[in-house]
Amino acid sequence: MPYLSIPLIALGVGGSFTLGMVLPLDHARDANEANSWTAFVLGIGYFAGALGPFLLGVTRDSTGGFTVPVWMLVIAAFLKLSLAPLLHPGGI
């Protein structure tokens, strides 16, 4: 199972980072707005990136297994997928 799940996770993380870097450029009207959006997206992204492993580790320690943390990741993935239809490239 790791031979399937690890590449899928890596593709998801890589795609999320790329999407996070490109979306502000698609929706910005000028360079200053793009800079502001990129700073906001990166700030929130790195905060969530640092908080996620901590919360999953706390959950794993409190439950004694990986079942609940894995389901938390599955729910987070579906939440991200549910937001995808709201993205409109090329303008707001």
Side-chain angles (χ1 to χ4, degrees):
M1 192 65 175
Y3 296 110
L4 176 64
S5 61
I6 291 173
L8 286 175
I9 291 170
L11 285 172
V13 170
S16 294
F17 183 78
T18 304
L19 188 62
M21 294 298 289
V22 172
L23 276 176
L25 300 177
D26 280 345
H27 291 281
R29 292 180 185 90
D30 58 14
N32 288 332
E33 189 175 346
N35 287 337
S36 297
W37 270 108
T38 301
F40 174 75
V41 167
L42 287 176
I44 297 298
Y46 279 113
F47 176 73
L51 191 60
F54 173 74
L55 290 176
L56 291 176
V58 168
T59 305
R60 189 260 177 237
D61 289 345
S62 65
T63 62
F66 286 102
T67 303
V68 174
V70 167
W71 279 109
M72 288 171 64
L73 291 173
V74 169
I75 291 168
F78 279 113
L79 287 173
K80 284 173 59 174
L81 284 173
S82 69
L83 292 175
L86 302 176
L87 303 174
H88 303 285
I92 296 175

